[in-house]
């Protein structure tokens, strides 16, 4: 990695962002600066008026429900040194930069700020598992380095710049999640992140409304290579049929990870311990070690392989990598195990697509006791929407899931297919989520293991809370 040694103490840290003067910011975003000292530096960037600190740059984003321009006076009173505005301001309380588009400005400023930094960046994308892989990689790297990682879902054209703006002098590596839904978006994200290592977890049937099919998904995701550092590396899932075909991209070094020993980084001797996670033996570059992966699901083994590979790229020891994997904790809404009132809840409610649905159902089936799947609609599947929901219903029945509860327009096809596949499965469909929540006490028993999963827009965290 570019940089070594320990993070500086608080007193040694530079409170201001490197080279982020008002003059440089205006030039970077193509805006016109009004007022203020052109050489003044900013301490942070925010689009949220509630988070403004002294010497902040506030970027006013016009939204459907809230317009950031309405809070410009407030942020100046809170200590903002400058604002970015799409409007001419009458008697502003501080400096401002007039731009045509605040959203385009924030991306251009992020590109400029990234160019000021020597920190190595890991860019992570894929159809499934981006967040879990990001968290696991950060857990491994934090055993040796001061790591900045993407928080929550800050992985799109607005969230990624805000994440980049959080990088400071003390950080030694950044782990950035990059999510897209259309062609060209990853190209823009790659220009902002300029990754030194690009990682793709898999290519699944996601965002098909705009990307069409898995070949379209592959084309869109591999735009991450567009701004990869000249000496950068590529890490891909060798078990994915689409990604396994990637053998050469310019002069970049390519590593494959997977469950087959044809991959440079692979795992074998896998022991599935249900909700206790799994144990496997990881092999790379002549080294091999056993590790306990604390989160359930065989698919988590691939995430661990990716993290191990990243650790190796950054010259970490086997002991450091092993500790980082074994101390990893899940994030909210992503296969988070909750014990309540004699029931075990697998909270995987944050999002869903056909690949992750099947992975979640596999975990559920590996558990003891009665298996209950509470599922909802999967979004952005385009013309294959009906077919893919039917596929999940059939998969539930074939696995032998005991009870399927589902709600949503598309989940009707899921329920219908489950019944057609296996008349023994207990299936209950509800048009509305609130109706299903009200009926839960009737269908759930002590000793049940319950998977809760649906696309983000379905708000299934409410189901988890109800249980």
């Amino acid at each position: 990695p570019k940089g070594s040694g320990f993070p500086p103490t608080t007193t040694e840290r530079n409170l201001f962002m490197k080279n982020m003067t008002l003059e440089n910011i205006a030039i970077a975003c193509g805006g016109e600066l009004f007022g203020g000292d052109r050489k003044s530096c900013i301490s942070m960037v925010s689009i949220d008026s509630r988070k403004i600190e002294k010497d902040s740059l506030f970027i006013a984003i016009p939204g459907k429900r809230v317009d950031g321009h309405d809070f410009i006076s407030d942020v100046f009173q809170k200590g903002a040194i400058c604002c970015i505005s799409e409007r001419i301001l009458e008697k502003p309380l501080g400096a401002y930069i007039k731009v045509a588009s605040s959203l385009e400005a924030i991306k251009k400023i992020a590109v400029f700020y990234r160019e000021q930094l020597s920190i190595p960046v890991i860019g992570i994308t894929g159809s499934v598992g981006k967040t879990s892989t990001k968290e696991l990689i950060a857990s491994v790297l934090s055993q040796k380095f001061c790591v900045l990682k993407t928080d929550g879902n800050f992985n799109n054209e607005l969230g990624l710049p805000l994440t980049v703006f959080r990088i400071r002098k003390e950080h030694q590596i950044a782990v950035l999640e990059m999510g897209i839904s259309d062609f060209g978006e990853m190209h823009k994200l790659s220009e902002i992140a300029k990754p030194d290592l690009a990682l793709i977890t898999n290519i699944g049937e996601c965002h098909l409304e705009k990307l069409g099919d898995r070949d379209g998904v592959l084309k869109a995701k591999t735009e991450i290579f567009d701004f990869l550092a000249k000496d950068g590396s590529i890490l891909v899932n060798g078990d994915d049929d689409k990604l396994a075909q990637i053998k050469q991209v310019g002069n970049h070094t390519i590593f494959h990870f997977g469950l087959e020993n044809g991959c440079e980084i692979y795992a074998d001797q896998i022991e599935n311990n249900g909700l206790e996670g799994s144990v496997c033996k990881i092999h790379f570059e002549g080294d091999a070690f056993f590790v306990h992966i604390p989160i359930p699901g065989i698919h988590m083994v691939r995430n661990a392989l990716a993290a191990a590979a990243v650790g190796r790229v950054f010259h970490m020891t086997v002991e450091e990598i092993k500790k980082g994997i074994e101390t990893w904790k899940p994030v909210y809404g992503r296969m988070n195990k909750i014990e309540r009132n004699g029931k075990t809840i697998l909270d995987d409610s944050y999002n869903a697509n056909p690949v992750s649905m099947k992975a979640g159902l596999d975990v559920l089936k590996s558990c003891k006791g009665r298996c209950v799947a509470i599922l909802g609609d999967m979004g952005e599947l385009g013309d294959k929407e009906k077919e893919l929901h039917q596929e999940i219903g059939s998969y539930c029945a074939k696995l032998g899931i005991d009870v399927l509860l589902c709600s949503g327009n598309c989940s009707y096809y899921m329920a219908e297919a489950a019944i057609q596949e296996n008349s023994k499965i207990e299936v209950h469909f509800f048009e509305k989520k609130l109706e299903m929540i009200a009926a839960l006490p009737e269908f759930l028993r002590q000793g049940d293991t319950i998977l809760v999963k649906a696309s983000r827009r379905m708000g299934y965290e409410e189901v988890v809370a109800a249980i």
Side-chain angles (χ1 to χ4, degrees), residues 372-389:
V372 179
I374 303 180
L375 309 181
D377 290 357
M378 302 176 289
E380 300 184 58
L381 297 179
D383 294 338
K384 299 181 72 176
E385 185 176 72
K386 178 179 177 180
E387 174 189 336
L388 292 171
H389 280 85

Side-chain angles (χ1 to χ4, degrees), residues 158-448:
L158 180 57
L160 182 66
L162 294 173
T163 301
V164 168
F165 291 141
R166 292 173 45 226
I167 299 174
R168 292 294 185 274
K169 185 177 180 180
E170 62 265 27
H171 295 123
Q172 296 170 294
I173 292 182
V175 184
L176 305 181
E177 181 179 332
M178 301 162 69
I180 56 98
S181 60
D182 202 352
F183 297 109
E185 290 180 358
M186 185 61 72
H187 177 86
K188 297 174 184 176
L189 296 185
S190 181
E191 183 180 14
I192 294 169
K194 292 185 174 60
D196 296 275
L197 188 156
L199 190 158
I200 306 180
T201 60
N202 45 51
I203 301 298
E205 293 177 305
C206 308
H207 307 299
L208 300 185
E209 284 182 337
K210 296 179 179 178
L211 302 180
D213 55 20
R214 289 184 67 224
D215 288 327
V217 176
L218 176 67
K219 181 180 179 181
K221 296 292 186 182
T222 51
E223 290 175 5
I224 193 174
F225 305 149
D226 291 355
F227 289 91
L228 184 62
K230 290 182 179 180
D231 58 348
S233 301
I234 294 170
L235 184 60
V236 296
N237 178 356
D239 293 338
D240 185 287
D241 61 322
K242 299 295 183 183
L243 294 175
Q245 299 173 22
I246 299 178
K247 302 296 184 182
Q248 184 173 358
V249 179
N251 295 319
H252 299 295
T253 302
I254 300 176
F255 301 97
H256 298 81
F257 62 90
L259 305 185
E260 303 293 334
N261 61 13
C263 297
E264 294 89 344
I265 305 99
Y266 70 96
D268 59 13
Q269 301 183 50
I270 300 171
E271 179 183 328
N272 186 354
N273 295 321
L275 292 184
E276 301 307 313
S278 56
V279 175
C280 69
K281 191 174 187 180
I282 292 178
H283 303 258
F284 52 54
E285 294 182 347
D287 278 328
F289 62 97
F290 282 97
V291 64
H292 171 237
I293 303 165
I295 309 303
I298 295 300
H299 57 291
M300 292 296 178
V301 174
R302 292 189 181 88
N303 296 348
L305 286 169
V310 171
R312 199 61 163 182
V313 167
F314 289 95
H315 312 297
M316 295 181 68
T317 66
V318 165
E319 292 74 21
E320 289 168 334
I321 294 170
K322 179 180 171 72
K323 183 179 179 182
I325 294 172
E326 294 186 336
T327 57
W328 172 43
K329 291 180 172 55
V331 295
Y332 172 80
R334 290 180 169 89
M335 202 49 71
N336 195 12
K337 184 176 75 171
I338 305 169
E339 302 284 354
R340 287 290 187 279
N341 304 319
K343 305 177 186 71
T344 301
I345 307 162
L346 301 180
D347 176 11
D348 206 21
S349 60
Y350 186 80
N351 215 339
N353 57 51
V355 176
S356 65
M357 273 285 198
K358 290 179 180 178
L361 289 166
D362 287 340
V363 173
L364 176 63
K365 185 56 183 175
S366 71
C367 300
K368 297 178 181 179
R370 203 173 66 133
C371 298
V372 179
I374 303 180
L375 309 181
D377 290 357
M378 302 176 289
E380 300 184 58
L381 297 179
D383 294 338
K384 299 181 72 176
E385 185 176 72
K386 178 179 177 180
E387 174 189 336
L388 292 171
H389 280 85
Q390 289 173 328
E391 189 176 302
I392 297 301
S394 296
Y395 195 75
C396 281
K398 289 175 182 177
L399 277 180
I401 300 301
D402 297 295
V403 181
L404 170 62
L405 304 175
C406 50
S407 70
N409 295 332
C410 297
S411 293
Y412 171 79
Y413 304 117
M414 194 188 298
E416 184 181 51
I419 294 170
Q420 290 176 354
E421 186 69 42
N422 181 356
S423 60
K424 294 181 180 180
I425 185 172
E426 182 182 338
V427 179
H428 302 279
F429 169 74
F430 302 84
E431 290 186 1
K432 297 181 179 180
K433 177 180 63 180
L434 292 179
E435 293 174 355
M436 182 178 69
I437 288 175
L440 287 178
E442 179 182 348
F443 300 114
L444 301 182
R445 307 173 188 167
Q446 287 207 353
D448 285 351

Side-chain angles (χ1 to χ4, degrees), residues 128-177:
V128 181
K130 293 186 294 295
T131 299
S132 296
T133 303
K134 176 256 298 182
E135 292 291 329
L136 190 43
I137 288 172
S139 181
V140 167
L141 292 174
S142 65
Q143 305 305 312
K144 183 176 182 178
F145 305 105
C146 181
V147 180
L148 184 284
K149 66 178 181 179
T150 301
D151 280 343
N153 62 344
F154 279 61
N155 62 4
N156 57 19
E157 288 189 50
L158 180 57
L160 182 66
L162 294 173
T163 301
V164 168
F165 291 141
R166 292 173 45 226
I167 299 174
R168 292 294 185 274
K169 185 177 180 180
E170 62 265 27
H171 295 123
Q172 296 170 294
I173 292 182
V175 184
L176 305 181
E177 181 179 332

